[in-house]
Amino acid sequence: MKFRCEREILAEALATAGRAATSRSGTLPVLSGVRLDVKDGDLTVTGTDLELTIRLSVHVHSDQNGSAVVPARLVADIVKALPAGAVEVSIADDEMSISAGRSQFSVRPLSLSDYPAQVEPGGEPVTLASAEVGNALRQVVRAASTDDARAVLTGVLIASEDDGLKMVATDSYRLAVRNLPQSSILATGQKVLVPGRALAELQRILSGDDELTVRLGTREAVFEVGATRLTTRLIEGEYPNYRNLLPSSHPNILTVGREALLEALRRVKILAQDSTPVRLTLGGDTLQLTAITQDVGNAAEEIDASYDGAEMTVAFNPDYLAAGIDAIDGDEITLATMDPMKPAVLRGVGHDEYLYLLMPVRVP
Amino acid sequence: MTTSIWEDVVGQQVAIERLKRAALAPVHAYLFVGPAGSTKWQAARAFAALLLAGTDDPSRRDVGLVLRGEHPDVKEIERVGPAISKDQADDIVRTASLAPSEGERKVMILDEFHLLRADAASRLLKTIEEPPDSTTFLILADFVPQDLITISSRCAQIDFRLVDEQHVADRLVIEGVDPETAAEAAAAAGGNLDRARLLATDPELAARRRAFFEVPQQLDGNGATVMRLVGELLGRIEAAAVPLAARHELEVVAMHERIARYGERGSGKKALDERQKRELRRHRTDELLAGLTVIAGGYRDALVNGSVRRPDAVAEAVVRIHDAIGAFERNPNEALLLQSLLWSLPVLVS
């Protein structure tokens, strides 16, 4: 195999595919490598940890077709460190040679035959607008659990409903639900659970490209953006019935400027240390935020708001609250509550397609 | 060339038959219970191959991959520290929840489950109890400790027994050991095939067994003799680790080759180091226990032959030796334990 490519392009390709390569102990050693395939002027770089696979193609000047597996991190570091300009790569027998300008590196490739076979995706491809999906992922993935002991909650539920597609994530402390109307990638009633980690990677890959192609199978989901393909194994299991968590009525509704609330929260949470909550005092034309950390100090700030409902104080984990406000689109948000111990719902005014439900914290 | 997937499962015909029947309508979890060296691990791979491929034809690609431990839908979990840890338990739960890569089913093989800690057990209970439909757990344990009774009650139990001496010896002969050495190693291995393989490479095995056997004849009621004998026996135990150390050396060389090829990260260097230390420790204890069993056997033979003057003292000696064997669980000072034991044993006249 022999090819020539611009350093920036090769470095970017190696870094992107390399994110799926793994050197965790207990996995096959060859998974610490990325697979390079050169065929008629196209270089395909593939990285996988058997759960997540990232594959992308770039154009190169190729003199000789071929395939090889090379150490992901080492080769990415080398290419990144080379002087700008063209990089020449050739792999023959048991040696990979990388050269640019007056720099010359030689690296031992890994065993090509040990590398897992790549399966071509099946299923019908469906095209979606990548900007809309990117924004939906930004809003939803943050609520997925990172606790592997509750594997089902580490996934994002993608369910087909009458009015389009629904994305749902929860870590049992908060719940994010996003509707994607007029989007259909599943048969009605069908649902899949996609690992949050894979969708976080997908967010990084979605970069304003116009179209995202999705194939959802029974075992894996395949996402293609431009020349990059991300494949992930699906999570099996029964997702909790999140609809039961959504309150049926919201007698108390606070409307407040998103930026003002976010700024005030950012300041006040400095004194919400050691997992202490931030209290929101609702009533009248102002919203008061307070944080008290025993033996350290306290903080309070008032911001303008409009409130319709009974006076009350409700407390939240400040990080979860900030993540919810940050995820919402629009200049104004509403916080709907029933009472200080029932889940509260955050929405953007005029943006009913997204809701962020948050469990309050009991305070004395 | 493997001729049968069960080829490496030695002396476990009952278990094999049960597994063959179980494969026709598998349940979600199996618990393989039997002593170390009873080829549970090999049985788990063979059963996994049968479950995934639906055939016992070893020439099939997926069967071969499972038997070599390289199938993407078979996850083998061996402890990296003293027991399967909380982090490993989380990894098991996560992997169990993912769809299979190739086929319709995936198999999780969990080794040395009797060493599982309570915090990891609590994380695993729900998943083992109700795994996704595509997952089958094969859990291997030397015994079922009290803490794991809940988990074990959720599994179909398959019992493995000590491999009998003749099967062990026959197996060693098939593997190229000469019949005499094979018989000797099988006799000393106590039904543990792994240990028998190691002993078959130990040229000092016969001499070491003889040294222990002759202890009762050499005792003369003199403390100095006890001290000398204990020193000699411990020296032989020390030397018994040589074949194992040689095997470890090969593993280290293979690991360094892997590191040169794939880099140190994820190479399992620390895990290998810890495992080798554990194996050395275990081998040493096994050898001491085997030696004490030989001494006890000498007293028992003498009692049966009627060649002893004070049968009650000899019977008591056997009890003392068994007490000493039990005391090894508490990780005692070996020299002190042996000195105390030998000092209390009666002299046997040959």
Side-chain angles (χ1 to χ4, degrees), chain A residues 214-242:
Chain A
V214 184
R215 288 185 180 91
L216 292 179
T218 49
R219 287 207 300 262
E220 77 272 304
V222 183
F223 303 91
E224 280 185 83
V225 187
T228 306
R229 179 196 289 170
L230 183 146
T231 308
T232 175
R233 283 162 75 189
L234 298 176
I235 296 175
E236 296 185 320
E238 195 57 37
Y239 202 73
N241 185 355
Y242 66 92

Side-chain angles (χ1 to χ4, degrees), chain B residues 195 198-199 201-205 208 233-250 276-288 334:
Chain B
R195 191 167 138 72
L198 190 63
L199 294 177
T201 61
D202 181 0
E204 294 299 314
L205 172 63
R208 192 165 60 247
L233 294 177
L234 288 178
R236 287 185 181 277
I237 295 293
E238 204 72 51
V242 171
L244 184 59
R247 185 194 281 185
H248 285 171
E249 192 55 40
L250 292 177
Q276 291 189 339
K277 277 188 193 152
R278 279 199 307 269
E279 283 181 359
L280 276 171
R281 177 77 228 164
R282 184 167 184 164
H283 183 60
R284 188 181 171 87
T285 307
D286 283 351
E287 279 307 312
L288 271 168
E334 293 161 355

Side-chain angles (χ1 to χ4, degrees), chain A residues 23-30 32 50-51 71 73 94 108-111 114 117 119 147-152 154 195 197 218-220 232-237, chain B residues 61 69-70 72-73 75-76 80 89-91 93-104 106 123 127 132-135 257-258 260-262 265-268:
Chain A
S23 46
R24 272 204 320 257
S25 57
T27 53
L28 300 172
V30 76
S32 66
L50 291 179
E51 292 170 23
R73 182 175 291 200
D94 223 8
R108 274 182 75 184
L110 310 179
S111 165
D114 287 357
V119 183
D147 180 4
D148 283 332
R150 310 170 80 187
V152 166
T154 63
R197 182 192 155 217
T218 49
R219 287 207 300 262
E220 77 272 304
T232 175
R233 283 162 75 189
L234 298 176
I235 296 175
E236 296 185 320
Chain B
R61 170 190 168 267
E70 292 170 4
D73 285 334
K75 175 96 174 170
E76 298 178 343
V80 286
D90 285 350
D91 189 39
V93 173
R94 188 174 53 83
T95 312
S97 74
L98 289 170
S101 293
E102 288 196 353
E104 298 301 317
K106 61 184 181 297
R123 290 176 105 82
T127 304
D133 291 344
S134 67
T135 302
E257 274 174 21
R258 272 202 313 278
R261 206 162 173 73
Y262 299 111
R265 211 178 126 96
S267 63

Side-chain angles (χ1 to χ4, degrees), chain B residues 133-145:
Chain B
D133 291 344
S134 67
T135 302
T136 303
F137 278 98
L138 306 183
I139 298 167
L140 320 186
D142 289 2
F143 56 95
V144 182

Side-chain angles (χ1 to χ4, degrees), chain B residues 141-152:
Chain B
D142 289 2
F143 56 95
V144 182
Q146 197 67 27
D147 288 350
L148 296 182
I149 283 183
T150 315
I151 285 186
S152 71

Side-chain angles (χ1 to χ4, degrees), chain B residues 207-274:
Chain B
R208 192 165 60 247
R209 279 171 66 82
R210 202 173 319 111
F212 275 97
F213 188 76
E214 288 170 356
V215 162
Q217 282 83 23
Q218 293 199 22
L219 292 172
D220 56 7
N222 189 332
T225 307
V226 167
M227 299 293 275
R228 178 180 59 76
L229 282 173
V230 169
E232 194 186 312
L233 294 177
L234 288 178
R236 287 185 181 277
I237 295 293
E238 204 72 51
V242 171
L244 184 59
R247 185 194 281 185
H248 285 171
E249 192 55 40
L250 292 177
E251 289 175 347
V252 170
V253 169
M255 184 194 64
H256 282 301
E257 274 174 21
R258 272 202 313 278
I259 289 177
R261 206 162 173 73
Y262 299 111
E264 185 156 347
R265 211 178 126 96
S267 63
K269 187 165 180 274
K270 188 164 167 253
L272 179 71
D273 193 39
E274 285 179 358

